[in-house]
Amino acid sequence: MDLDALDTPFVVVDRVVLERNLAASAERARARGVAWRPHAKTHKSLAIGRRQLHHGAVGLTLATVGEAEIFAAAGFDDLFLAYPIWAAGPRADRLRTLAGTIALRVGLDSVAGADQLADALRGAPVEVVVEVDSGHHRTGGDPRRAGEVAAHAVSRGLDVVGVFTFPGHAYAPGAREGAAADEARAPDLAAHALLAVGIEPRVRSGGTTPTENLPVLGENGFPATETRPGVSSFGDAQQVELGAIDFADCALAIVATVVHSRDGEAVLDAGSKVLGTDRAAWATGHGRLPDRPAARIVTLSEHHATVVCGDGPVPAVGSRVRVVPNHVCTSVNLVDRLVVVQDDEVVDTWVVDARGANS
Amino acid sequence: MDLDALDTPFVVVDRVVLERNLAASAERARARGVAWRPHAKTHKSLAIGRRQLHHGAVGLTLATVGEAEIFAAAGFDDLFLAYPIWAAGPRADRLRTLAGTIALRVGLDSVAGADQLADALRGAPVEVVVEVDSGHHRTGGDPRRAGEVAAHAVSRGLDVVGVFTFPGHAYAPGAREGAAADEARAPDLAAHALLAVGIEPRVRSGGTTPTENLPVLGENGFPATETRPGVSSFGDAQQVELGAIDFADCALAIVATVVHSRDGEAVLDAGSKVLGTDRAAWATGHGRLPDRPAARIVTLSEHHATVVCGDGPVPAVGSRVRVVPNHVCTSVNLVDRLVVVQDDEVVDTWVVDARGANS
């Protein structure tokens, strides 16, 4: 089938580029000597998760119990919820059920969270890792105080196996090297803090796409054991604008139709409901057109993207263009299906199985 | 059922507030003497669409053929696609099928679009309205030149019945009155242009939530005949910050759990994947907490919202808060279901039937 047989907007994934990206991400982990546990929140697709295992992933990372349930039901048997899960209400029972089914690891960053988790699990086997803040200042506490949470968790019968961090401050121009150093330093300090309370910090997990290939060893001798890149499976316009990849490395794009054309500008039928609205302060627009590098999406509404065409010709009404979204994870979460292409021929359709599984 | 039996994050709709909002929006249209054709892209829900008809809507407005197919299949028989639809490929056949099933009206803003639409419809009955730009500069052409597109459409056998505009520039502080004047002026000019080429401009459709209650008469004597507010059914944080409504008027909120708490700040389990990322330049954050007016959501990632609590106490880990999203339309599009509450009791669940129907 040919792409013209599909109504726009829709999301295409280039199978060859995707496979190349997965192999490269796996190879970067191997070269650093760390386990590759990619974050599946980026694709939320069982089909792509399976390709990641094929390329050597030790398991997958996810953000919510709902996502883990969907992957577990499909046979994924080693999952890490890299999130300080609050295990109350129905979620407590759901976590306990998951724990009885697969090898499950969850995050924790507070004494109260440890109590809640211990109550929820009632002895069901779960590996616990303590989240620490490496500079992104989102969740996770001071790495030097990770021992407090860890010791309390152990006192409640939980199996604490290590620490993790998310150096999200790497997603900014010029921030990559510093964030990579932070990413190494925080788990290293935290591992030391765990050891000080008698807990073996076997797992030291970090990782983002920007820091994926930047190993830095901590001073206490606890290097990372695991990396959790998400975006690198697809690539996106943010990564292009950060200089990390080229458009040729972007495996995913939205195909849109020009619905309005005027002097210097075109309006596409792909709006925020398929591109997503994520836009960093340093981003030059709301996504990029790989075939028109000078073009910028200056305005986005729900079903319209206004493109200033720059030095190129304005595309005619009815013509189609490809848009690489700024942040691919939020774009994928807006659609039910990914159209898989090779040489512009449709070769498969993959379901976004865990779309919307927010809880 | 009580809300604690549901895992966060989830979306609640207060039935009493919703009904009050729908009745008020209908009444504003009646007071202006115009037909009320609310935009269902806001809720994408058949249940709410039916309540709008109950309150006197003449029909619904939608943005995509996919949305219209879903509403038509459920018995909605008068729909307006307020969008310059490009009727090529499978969409041509889908439009023709719809046209044979319900009273369908579609937008048009170019000669090429008119040709495409005429080819697609092959005589199937569709009312055509010409979109004109009233100052938002998205789609729609110069109102004074609306006659060109209209005359061409008629020459191709299309049934042109009027004009429409979307004064989206009303969504900014202090812009409401000016945009309302533009909203009146542009269709008035365009109606005059249609009459000049012998076409009766029976339909003059406009409307946004900010301009819903601001009638302004155009100089040519063609007042609006119809209004298409969307957001006003739910209300959202943008409308609160624009001063148009109070928190008590917001029918929809996201219930979230505090997963991390520190000095002055809390982190919620509701991120961009349920709140949406829309944030106008003048917005004070990524949504608002109605029970904590001083709090601001300063950072949003996919599954985390970081709240600076302002002068209020920091909520404890595990406690629940409500968040009113900045732009309710994009938030609804992220979930499959709306939990309907009355006095904090769950009384129903409504499906977001047309979620993701982007094409």
Side-chain angles (χ1 to χ4, degrees):
Chain A
M1 189 170 71
D2 151 307
L3 288 176
D4 290 340
L6 297 170
D7 284 331
T8 59
F10 57 88
V11 177
V12 290
V13 172
D14 187 304
R15 189 159 68 178
V16 173
V17 179
L18 174 70
E19 286 289 319
R20 197 170 67 213
N21 289 353
L22 298 182
S25 186
E27 178 50 35
R28 283 192 288 269
R30 264 192 295 276
R32 288 173 60 191
V34 298
W36 184 52
R37 189 185 282 277
H39 208 313
K41 72 174 172 60
T42 298
H43 55 73
K44 293 171 178 276
S45 158
L46 300 172
I48 298 178
R50 291 191 186 105
R51 296 308 302 158
Q52 290 175 319
L53 294 186
H54 171 84
H55 282 282
V58 296
L60 298 181
T61 305
L62 291 162
T64 71
V65 176
E67 290 174 348
E69 287 170 335
I70 290 162
F71 277 80
F76 289 78
D77 60 3
D78 189 342
L79 302 176
F80 173 22
L81 295 176
Y83 196 90
I85 301 289
W86 183 255
R91 182 149 41 216
D93 301 324
R94 294 164 59 204
L95 256 183
R96 193 170 53 249
T97 301
L98 262 182
T101 316
I102 60 164
L104 182 66
R105 193 197 291 165
V106 307
L108 202 63
D109 78 347
S110 69
V111 163
D115 283 335
Q116 196 73 36
L117 185 63
D119 290 346
L121 291 176
R122 300 183 204 155
V126 162
E127 289 189 349
V128 170
V129 284
V130 176
E131 181 171 12
V132 295
D133 179 20
S134 50
H136 186 43
H137 308 322
R138 193 172 65 180
T139 43
D142 183 337
R144 286 159 299 195
R145 300 184 58 183
E148 291 172 30
V149 173
H152 185 80
V154 167
S155 78
R156 288 300 316 270
L158 294 171
D159 179 23
V160 177
V161 300
V163 297
F164 81 105
T165 194
F166 172 66
H169 54 310
Y171 287 87
R176 216 161 64 97
E177 281 76 11
D182 293 340
E183 176 186 338
R185 192 179 303 119
D188 177 69
L189 283 170
H192 190 68
L194 257 60
L195 204 60
V197 295
I199 299 166
E200 177 69 29
R202 178 166 60 79
V203 172
R204 284 94 63 187
S205 177
T208 65
T209 287
T211 63
E212 208 180 333
N213 59 349
L214 291 175
V216 182
L217 196 66
E219 289 171 7
N220 295 302
F222 292 108
T225 61
E226 180 178 281
T227 183
R228 310 184 313 273
V231 167
S232 61
S233 54
F234 290 135
D236 58 20
Q238 283 191 167
Q239 296 306 311
V240 171
E241 296 203 338
L242 285 171
I245 60 172
D246 296 321
F247 284 127
D249 303 317
C250 293
L252 182 146
I254 287 94
V255 179
T257 297
V258 175
V259 293
H260 183 92
S261 181
R262 55 180 171 250
D263 191 26
E265 294 184 349
V267 180
L268 313 180
D269 66 357
S272 66
K273 280 179 171 167
V274 64
L275 291 174
T277 327
D278 275 17
R279 181 179 176 174
W282 43 264
T284 66
H286 296 277
R288 291 286 295 272
L289 284 64
D291 304 316
R292 296 170 176 269
R296 290 296 181 279
I297 299 177
V298 293
T299 319
L300 203 60
S301 46
E302 288 163 65
H303 296 282
H304 305 74
T306 302
V307 181
V308 170
C309 297
D311 54 14
V314 177
V317 173
S319 58
R320 289 183 168 199
V321 298
R322 288 182 187 229
V323 182
V324 174
N326 272 349
H327 183 194
V328 73
C329 309
T330 54
S331 191
V332 167
N333 188 50
L334 292 163
V335 297
D336 293 324
R337 277 171 195 79
L338 307 173
V339 178
V340 188
V341 298
Q342 192 164 335
D343 301 327
D344 285 334
E345 277 288 309
V346 178
V347 293
D348 209 342
T349 302
W350 291 337
V351 176
V352 185
D353 305 272
R355 181 205 55 74
N358 284 319
S359 62
Chain B
M1 190 170 70
D2 155 301
L3 288 176
D4 290 339
L6 297 171
D7 285 331
T8 58
F10 57 88
V11 177
V12 290
V13 173
D14 186 306
R15 191 161 64 177
V16 174
V17 180
L18 174 69
E19 286 290 319
R20 197 172 66 215
N21 289 352
L22 298 182
S25 185
E27 178 50 35
R28 283 192 287 269
R30 263 192 297 273
R32 288 173 61 190
V34 298
W36 184 52
R37 189 185 282 276
H39 208 312
K41 72 172 172 59
T42 298
H43 54 74
K44 293 172 178 277
S45 159
L46 300 172
I48 299 179
R50 290 189 187 107
R51 294 308 303 158
Q52 290 175 321
L53 294 186
H54 171 86
H55 282 281
V58 296
L60 298 181
T61 304
L62 291 162
T64 72
V65 175
E67 290 174 348
E69 286 169 335
I70 290 163
F71 277 80
F76 289 78
D77 59 3
D78 189 343
L79 301 176
F80 172 23
L81 295 175
Y83 197 91
I85 303 286
W86 183 255
R91 183 152 37 221
D93 301 323
R94 293 164 60 204
L95 257 183
R96 193 171 50 250
T97 301
L98 262 182
T101 316
I102 60 165
L104 183 66
R105 192 197 292 167
V106 307
L108 202 64
D109 78 347
S110 68
V111 163
D115 283 334
Q116 196 73 36
L117 184 63
D119 290 346
L121 291 175
R122 299 183 207 155
V126 162
E127 287 189 350
V128 170
V129 283
V130 177
E131 181 172 11
V132 295
D133 178 20
S134 50
H136 186 43
H137 307 321
R138 192 172 68 181
T139 42
D142 182 338
R144 286 158 298 196
R145 299 183 58 182
E148 290 172 29
V149 173
H152 185 78
V154 167
S155 80
R156 289 299 315 271
L158 294 171
D159 178 24
V160 177
V161 300
V163 297
F164 80 107
T165 193
F166 173 66
H169 55 308
Y171 287 88
R176 215 162 65 96
E177 281 74 11
D182 292 341
E183 176 187 338
R185 192 178 303 119
D188 177 70
L189 282 170
H192 190 70
L194 257 60
L195 205 61
V197 295
I199 300 166
E200 177 71 27
R202 178 166 59 81
V203 173
R204 285 96 60 187
S205 177
T208 64
T209 286
T211 62
E212 208 180 333
N213 59 349
L214 292 174
V216 183
L217 196 67
E219 291 171 6
N220 295 301
F222 292 107
T225 61
E226 178 179 280
T227 182
R228 310 184 312 274
V231 167
S232 61
S233 53
F234 290 135
D236 58 21
Q238 283 191 167
Q239 294 307 312
V240 172
E241 296 204 337
L242 284 172
I245 60 172
D246 296 322
F247 284 127
D249 304 317
C250 292
L252 182 146
I254 287 94
V255 179
T257 297
V258 175
V259 293
H260 182 93
S261 182
R262 57 180 170 250
D263 191 26
E265 294 184 349
V267 181
L268 313 179
D269 67 355
S272 66
K273 281 178 172 170
V274 64
L275 291 174
T277 328
D278 276 18
R279 181 179 176 175
W282 44 264
T284 66
H286 296 277
R288 290 288 293 274
L289 283 65
D291 304 315
R292 296 170 176 269
R296 290 295 182 279
I297 300 178
V298 293
T299 319
L300 203 61
S301 45
E302 288 162 66
H303 297 282
H304 305 73
T306 302
V307 182
V308 170
C309 297
D311 54 15
V314 177
V317 174
S319 57
R320 290 182 167 199
V321 298
R322 288 182 188 229
V323 183
V324 174
N326 272 350
H327 182 193
V328 73
C329 309
T330 56
S331 192
V332 168
N333 187 50
L334 291 163
V335 297
D336 293 323
R337 275 169 197 79
L338 306 173
V339 178
V340 188
V341 298
Q342 191 164 334
D343 300 326
D344 284 334
E345 276 287 308
V346 178
V347 292
D348 209 341
T349 302
W350 291 337
V351 176
V352 185
D353 306 272
R355 181 205 54 74
N358 284 318
S359 61

